[in-house]
Amino acid sequence: MGTQFSTPFHAVGCSDCKVPGLLGFDFTMAFQPIVDIETGLPYAYEALVRGTGGEGAGWVLAQVTDANRYRFDQACRVKAIELAAHLGLHQLPDCKLSINFLPNAVYRPETCIRATLEASQRFAFPADRLMFEVTEGERVSDTQHLKNIFAEYRRQGFTTAIDDFGSGYSGLNLLATFQPQVLKLDMELTRNIDADPIRQAIVSGVLLVAERLAITIIAEGIETQAECDMLRSMGVRYFQGYLFARPAVAALPLRP
């Protein structure tokens, strides 16, 4: 498969990703739980980039350029797996580690998975517990490229997810092109849904489509018990948001 990038391709291994000087800046990871409301246990923890000096994700992402995008994407995977393993996430029953990826940074999916698999082996983290999210707002000029990524990830046993569904430019068109295993409803759809019949109708439609396609739904940005109760009554089982825990740097938070 040809590359859509102008710079020469060089596959990065796990050891390369652990050298911050090669990237040009350093970062760490915060973790936020995705909760199974029926059991009260974490279905997954999402790894979210943070600066080592307490900077937010925006500061970190502002350091990413076309020149270091691929290395950053690979470094995120390795850092997330390393920290998750150190915190014992893999010891939580059936709990996944969710990692955001940049499709425009993935050259050849079968080759670029190398660092991920190396990190999984090095830190004894089960590869089948990995979930990769692509945000709906991520513009991808080559849709076949993203289809190839999704196909290869599923072949490797990873879980695939579309993040921030309902906030981007493509909506159902993206879902029609890529059928992930998981769909995360953006807070634009879930915010105050308990008092908003229009949002309730839209989410009901998305849930019906997801059921027909055997896609798991996660509701993001949940901050109130009323939002949680409404979505639960509509059939949503998995939740993420401040109601359950805020992201915590190098920790696995979860409120009872």
Side-chain angles (χ1 to χ4, degrees):
M1 174 179 138
T3 177
Q4 57 179 319
F5 304 89
S6 57
T7 55
F9 172 70
H10 169 68
V12 173
C14 173
S15 59
D16 297 326
C17 293
K18 289 175 62 61
V19 182
L22 296 177
L23 182 61
F25 62 95
D26 199 7
F27 65 94
T28 187
M29 289 286 178
F31 295 89
Q32 187 178 32
I34 299 168
V35 180
D36 181 343
I37 201 69
E38 293 188 6
T39 65
L41 300 175
Y43 165 80
Y45 275 90
E46 181 179 1
L48 302 160
V49 292
R50 295 291 186 269
T52 55
E55 300 90 349
W59 179 89
V60 177
L61 296 175
Q63 316 304 312
V64 180
T65 66
D66 289 341
N68 64 16
R69 190 179 309 277
Y70 167 70
R71 185 175 293 278
F72 173 71
D73 180 78
Q74 297 294 293
C76 283
R77 301 158 185 248
V78 174
K79 181 81 71 175
I81 293 170
E82 179 182 14
L83 286 178
H86 175 72
L87 295 169
L89 190 154
H90 57 302
Q91 297 174 357
L92 302 177
D94 301 319
C95 186
K96 301 179 186 296
L97 169 62
S98 187
I99 304 171
N100 293 277
F101 76 94
L102 304 173
N104 290 323
V106 180
Y107 286 69
R108 304 178 185 91
E110 69 281 1
T111 303
C112 296
I113 288 172
R114 168 186 161 189
T116 304
L117 295 177
E118 285 182 5
S120 175
Q121 295 173 359
R122 179 171 181 173
F123 302 112
F125 195 97
D128 61 0
R129 296 274 203 95
L130 297 176
M131 179 165 74
F132 285 97
E133 304 181 18
V134 60
T135 178
E136 184 194 323
E138 179 79 11
R139 286 189 176 273
V140 180
S141 57
D142 185 351
T143 55
Q144 186 59 47
H145 178 62
L146 186 52
K147 289 183 73 172
N148 291 342
I149 293 172
F150 269 47
E152 182 62 23
Y153 281 9
R154 296 188 72 161
R155 192 183 73 82
Q156 293 286 349
F158 304 151
T159 300
T160 58
I162 293 178
D163 191 17
D164 300 329
F165 187 81
S167 68
Y169 64 92
S170 51
L172 292 175
N173 288 333
L174 184 66
L175 185 58
T177 305
F178 314 108
Q179 288 78 54
Q181 290 145 295
V182 173
L183 195 64
K184 300 181 73 178
L185 298 177
D186 187 75
M187 64 177 65
E188 290 294 329
L189 289 177
T190 61
R191 178 67 68 250
N192 298 320
I193 189 171
D194 55 293
D196 192 329
I198 295 177
R199 281 180 167 80
Q200 293 170 23
I202 294 172
V203 170
S204 292
V206 174
L207 293 176
L208 179 59
V209 171
E211 182 180 8
R212 293 281 296 272
L213 297 177
I215 295 174
T216 297
I217 290 289
I218 296 171
E220 294 184 294
I222 306 304
E223 296 186 354
T224 70
Q225 190 63 50
E227 291 169 348
C228 178
D229 291 342
M230 173 56 69
L231 287 160
R232 188 176 184 184
S233 72
M234 297 170 68
V236 177
R237 177 172 176 173
Y238 302 101
F239 293 82
Q240 182 176 6
Y242 289 176
L243 178 64
F244 304 97
R246 291 175 178 266
V249 174
L252 302 178
L254 181 60
R255 294 176 186 151

